[in-house]
Amino acid sequence: MTASGILVAGTSSDAGKSVVTAGLCRALARRGLRVAPFKAQNMSNNSMVCADGGEIGRAQYVQAQAAGVLASTAMNPVLLKPGSDRRSFIVVRGRAAGVLEAGQYAAGRARLAEAAFAAYAELAEEYDLVVCEGAGSPAEINLRDGDYVNLGLARRFGLPVVVVGDIDRGGILAALYGTWALLSDEDRALLKAFLINKFRGDVSVLEPGLVEITRRTGVPFLGVVPWLLDVWLDSEDTLAVGQWRAGPTAPDEADGGAPDRLTVAVIRLPRISNATDVDAIATEPGVDVRVTIDPVLVDAADLVVLPGSRSTATDLGWLRERGLADALVRRAAARRPLVGICGGYQMLGRHLEDQVEAQVGVVPGLGLLPTGVEFAHEKVLGRPVGSWRGHRVEGYEIHHGIARRTTAPSLSPDGAEEPPTPFLDGWQVGTVWGTMWHGIFENDGFRRAWLTEVAVAAGSRWRPATDAPGFGARRARMIDTLADALEDHVDLDALLGLTRVGSTARAAATDSSASSLHPRAGSRVVPGAR
């Protein structure tokens, strides 16, 4: 049977599987192929709501955008959302499907595998090619029995496997060889290529090592992808939170920021979810974003973002233990800007009643917004649309907590009653904002207008650059840059030759009008080291 797809595996988490998959989706779509991304099981608290109302990993949603197709729950049929070190909430085909304890994982995978395999078969029927992303590393032999996301998936559907290694981590040759060495003979038979990611320098220095690894394993290298400084895409891995913070630190940031810049502190909660909400803020020229757990930075920043959480009540207790809750209350009293999103918004209310997530009963909130929160077993999933001061705002909702207005008055710092103002299905009191909606800052007009208000309140002279590209345009440019790099440094023809579309892809590649996704005519494929 000719392979209906390929599997992009990695030597470790955050080795580049997600971005390589996104780049392949765009590069192959340019060739006129109808391509679908797929990840059988994703363990991530960064998720997105599809147009059909189902929830999938954020990375797969962006990969679908890269392929130019509508995201669907078949592209990430199993999503595990960690609620603690030993407990995950299960999402199957976009809908909540119970809880999985650590000790139940091995026994509980059979039904999840069935859902994953059925979803892959569905995509394979509909699309020319399915580009699959693995999870973690196939060398995790302790998880091989019952595996359905790495080599278990590849064996089931006869998929050729490409292993990606991040050279920036160091030890790349050992990681690639060790991955191959730990596999069984049957699994090794599917390992068809290695790929180096994030290379900087002269590739000729690296090539002798690649030749020796191929001699020892029989596995060729299809390319060496260079370091792409300005390319970062929605991550599924909490280890990568804040990876956009690669630029130089503002000179006066440690003292609260230069007067013409805007400093933003994002609190890194233990169970942070949808940290991608901050991505669009971080792209604004003159805005310095730092992920932190330091109360001193929380006090000093112009704006603090309290993001979502997969265990809201537990993370609220953690805020109190770290002294961060006191820092947030001080900010509100001093009228310094603070915004809470989803779980962060819930923490800013008067109380939480949780018998669902952390199952802790009623706990007091920070008392900064006029809401009480009750957690429901049924998860709210939606893609709401609203407005703020004439700016259209689109977002998405993923939450169990239901926030309702309380009857107690909201008080200003001097003790006077202060009426709350509606804010995107949430509330604003003074310089404290809260909303259940994720993704609001991806709306360019709203983001820039709201940040201007924040800057004025914080006493910063920062103002948005009117000629800066929008967030959507920047993301599209990043995807194209990534696809260009794969076209130039990876032998895509050899990769396609391993699949059922290999014989027709070369003909399609000569037609530069085959897809509106192709930004440049006559892109050439330069084979990597083989």
Side-chain angles (χ1 to χ4, degrees), residues 132-276:
C132 307
E133 177 185 341
S137 168
E140 294 165 354
I141 54 177
N142 56 309
L143 300 176
R144 180 60 183 90
D145 289 343
D147 167 57
Y148 60 91
V149 63
N150 287 312
L151 291 165
L153 175 72
R155 290 272 289 275
R156 175 66 176 259
F157 294 100
L159 305 178
V161 179
V162 179
V163 177
V164 177
D166 178 359
I167 198 169
D168 195 53
R169 292 172 177 264
I172 183 65
L173 300 181
L176 291 169
Y177 182 78
T179 298
W180 174 87
L182 285 169
L183 302 184
S184 67
D185 289 341
E186 293 81 6
D187 287 342
R188 284 180 188 170
L190 292 170
L191 206 168
K192 300 299 184 183
F194 290 136
L195 188 65
I196 300 289
N197 187 34
K198 296 184 183 177
F199 181 76
R200 289 179 278 190
D202 183 352
V203 73
S204 66
V205 177
L206 178 63
E207 283 177 349
L210 308 188
V211 170
E212 180 60 20
I213 293 296
T214 296
R215 186 189 71 78
R216 296 189 184 198
T217 65
V219 179
F221 282 80
L222 285 189
V224 177
V225 182
W227 177 277
L228 303 172
L229 179 62
D230 294 328
V231 172
W232 46 263
L233 297 173
D234 303 43
S235 175
E236 65 186 29
D237 195 334
T238 57
L239 294 174
V241 169
Q243 62 181 344
W244 28 254
R245 192 63 175 84
T249 300
D252 300 322
E253 186 175 350
D255 299 319
D260 59 345
R261 301 184 74 84
L262 192 70
T263 61
V264 181
V266 183
I267 296 180
R268 181 166 185 157
L269 300 167
R271 295 297 164 192
I272 190 171
S273 69
N274 287 78
T276 50

Side-chain angles (χ1 to χ4, degrees), residues 452-465:
T452 299
E453 182 167 313
V454 165
V456 171
S460 167
R461 294 200 300 264
W462 177 89
R463 296 297 183 270

Side-chain angles (χ1 to χ4, degrees), residues 17 41 53 59 74 93 360 370 405 407 489-490:
K17 299 185 294 292
Q41 175 191 291
R93 289 304 294 260
V360 295
R405 171 80 184 274
T407 57
H489 298 279
V490 177

Side-chain angles (χ1 to χ4, degrees), residues 311-384:
S311 189
T312 306
T314 303
D315 279 357
L316 176 57
W318 176 85
L319 285 178
R320 290 190 163 104
E321 293 170 2
R322 302 281 311 191
L324 290 162
D326 291 338
L328 296 177
V329 172
R330 286 195 300 270
R331 288 191 67 88
R335 291 189 174 272
R336 306 204 66 206
L338 164 64
V339 62
I341 303 172
C342 196
Y345 166 43
Q346 296 168 24
M347 295 180 199
L348 297 177
R350 303 193 185 283
H351 68 269
L352 297 87
E353 183 175 350
D354 179 8
Q355 301 293 352
V356 177
E357 281 188 351
Q359 300 176 344
V360 295
V362 179
V363 297
L366 299 182
L368 303 179
L369 291 176
T371 56
V373 177
E374 182 177 356
F375 285 76
H377 287 280
E378 187 72 21
K379 183 185 289 188
V380 175
L381 298 171
R383 298 180 60 157

